[in-house]
Amino acid sequence: MIDDPDELAAVVDEAVKKAFEEITAESQARRKDPFALSMSGLGRCRRAAAYAAAGTEPTDPDLVMTGENRTAHIGTAIHRLLLPKLARVLGARAEAPVLLADGSVSGIPGTLDVWWEKELTVLDVKTVGEHKLDKVLARGESYEHRMQVGGYALAKGARWVVWLYLDRSTGRSAQIVEEFGPDFQREVWQRIREIQRLAERPELAPRDEHGPGLSYQCDGCGWLRQCWGRSARSGTAGAQAHIAPDVPSMEIALQNYATHRDEEGRQKKLKNFWRAVVTGGGRTPGAYGRWQFYFTKPGKGLDQKAVRAEYEQQGRKPPEKEEAGRLIVRPVKK
């Protein structure tokens, strides 16, 4: 028997962790080949897609087969609850398997969320985190989502595609609708042909992510060490160094760092300026044309100045932690 509430809380927390890990293992076991190119991979990192299309043996299969993946599983649970009912209401079919003939032996497989044959419409449900729905609608669907649903539409000969975005925290939803016309079709085929070409030499394919510790996709990629070197570890930055092994490449890296550092400063100043324009004068939050603004609930943060003053009044030294030295990048003096 457990008598300590903290101990009981820790046991429950560990149980939740293990439950999600088991869900991951079970979901991966149901997949025919988690390392083959599928519809969901069309719009992701081109190097990963090239490895998949080429049939490259994964160096890090455990990164795909394990872990908690809570957000993904919660999204899957919403799909399982919503899709059958949504399809029934529309008179459509839920979770329809598709196979796009791309000229390869196996084709590109996938499972679309809803196929509404009467209206020749592919509908795909995407769940998003709290307060992310408006941002998605303002910016439009991501390239990854666009290519995935475009692949489904090619396979089914669709006329319309619908991205149905659903806020996981509130249940609020909104749609982006687009006709699957010749330009969209051409865009998807161009991506497929590009991946096929890159699959001939996948090690030369562009990296579209920033590496371990800086990219969620890299941290869960089955080809992590194949791409970033044998020292690469999921969740830990540093393997990126191998792309600048000599003085000329280091010179380029330093120049890029300085460029982005300076741009970051300029963008912050511009952001603060436009914030003052948008919120100044007591302007009322709400919709203004195609854009809107609002404020989240106010929160509380640590008042470091007050804490430091209180420690000093008590004659005590505030606790400190070791911090890494600042990185300084500047031109070499001639």
Side-chain angles (χ1 to χ4, degrees):
M1 296 290 289
I2 299 175
D3 297 321
D4 185 345
D6 291 338
E7 183 181 353
L8 180 57
V11 170
V12 172
D13 186 62
E14 182 65 19
V16 173
K17 176 178 180 292
K18 289 183 177 179
F20 273 108
E21 288 175 346
E22 288 187 12
I23 295 171
T24 296
E26 291 170 0
S27 65
Q28 293 298 344
R30 288 193 294 268
R31 294 178 64 180
K32 292 182 179 180
D33 185 354
F35 304 107
L37 180 64
S38 64
M39 296 292 189
S40 61
L42 285 180
R44 294 180 181 173
C45 173
R46 282 172 290 178
R47 182 171 290 200
Y51 283 138
T56 305
E57 189 72 19
T59 52
D60 305 84
D62 288 348
L63 296 182
V64 178
M65 307 295 286
T66 60
E68 298 180 47
N69 301 299
R70 296 191 182 194
T71 301
H73 293 318
I74 291 171
T76 298
I78 293 173
H79 276 67
R80 289 176 178 171
L81 177 67
L82 176 63
L83 293 185
K85 301 297 184 184
L86 181 61
R88 185 185 64 77
V89 171
L90 290 173
R93 181 183 177 187
E95 297 188 291
V98 297
L99 183 66
L100 177 60
D102 65 335
S104 64
V105 175
S106 58
I108 304 175
T111 302
L112 60 82
D113 286 345
V114 175
W115 169 235
W116 192 4
E117 187 171 10
K118 178 184 175 182
E119 301 296 336
L120 296 179
T121 297
V122 169
L123 186 151
D124 197 65
V125 176
K126 298 297 184 187
T127 59
V128 295
E130 188 176 8
H131 306 308
K132 296 292 180 63
L133 184 60
D134 292 323
K135 292 182 180 180
V136 169
L137 295 178
R139 298 170 183 170
E141 77 284 353
S142 69
Y143 184 76
E144 178 183 338
H145 293 171
R146 184 172 181 81
M147 289 299 100
Q148 179 185 10
V149 178
Y152 296 147
L154 275 181
K156 299 301 289 186
R159 180 188 176 193
W160 298 98
V161 296
V162 179
W163 293 269
L164 172 60
Y165 285 95
L166 183 68
D167 188 322
R168 288 189 295 268
S169 61
T170 65
R172 179 171 163 248
S173 64
Q175 304 82 36
I176 299 174
V177 179
E178 184 175 343
E179 187 171 9
F180 191 60
D183 289 344
F184 194 169
Q185 295 173 28
R186 192 177 305 111
E187 185 182 353
V188 180
W189 276 121
Q190 286 176 344
R191 179 65 169 195
I192 292 171
R193 299 308 180 209
E194 180 184 22
I195 292 172
Q196 291 175 334
R197 176 178 57 80
L198 293 173
E200 297 175 3
R201 296 285 303 277
E203 69 279 3
L204 301 181
R207 298 181 180 93
D208 294 320
E209 297 293 324
H210 294 148
L214 302 179
S215 163
Y216 175 79
Q217 285 191 31
C218 289
D219 287 335
C221 180
W223 296 279
L224 177 64
R225 285 179 294 168
Q226 179 80 29
C227 182
W228 290 99
R230 297 181 63 180
S231 65
R233 296 293 180 268
S234 177
T236 302
Q240 291 85 345
H242 93 277
I243 69 174
D246 50 33
V247 172
S249 57
M250 270 297 294
E251 182 181 12
I252 294 172
L254 288 167
Q255 180 180 348
N256 280 320
Y257 176 88
T259 298
H260 290 296
R261 176 201 60 199
D262 296 342
E263 183 63 26
E264 181 182 33
R266 287 191 291 269
Q267 292 299 327
K268 186 175 182 179
K269 290 179 180 178
L270 285 170
K271 186 182 75 170
N272 290 339
F273 168 74
W274 288 111
R275 177 186 175 92
V277 171
V278 167
T279 64
R283 198 185 306 274
T284 303
Y288 296 84
R290 295 186 299 110
W291 292 84
Q292 63 176 319
F293 84 93
Y294 55 89
F295 296 98
T296 59
K297 293 180 180 179
K300 293 184 177 180
L302 180 65
D303 187 337
Q304 295 187 24
K305 186 176 180 180
V307 171
R308 184 173 295 277
E310 183 175 342
Y311 268 87
E312 290 176 352
Q313 288 175 2
Q314 298 173 0
R316 300 165 57 199
K317 184 178 180 181
E320 297 177 340
K321 64 179 181 180
E322 292 290 334
E323 294 184 348
R326 290 177 55 229
L327 174 61
I328 305 296
V329 175
R330 59 180 57 162
V332 175
K333 293 182 179 180
K334 295 182 178 179

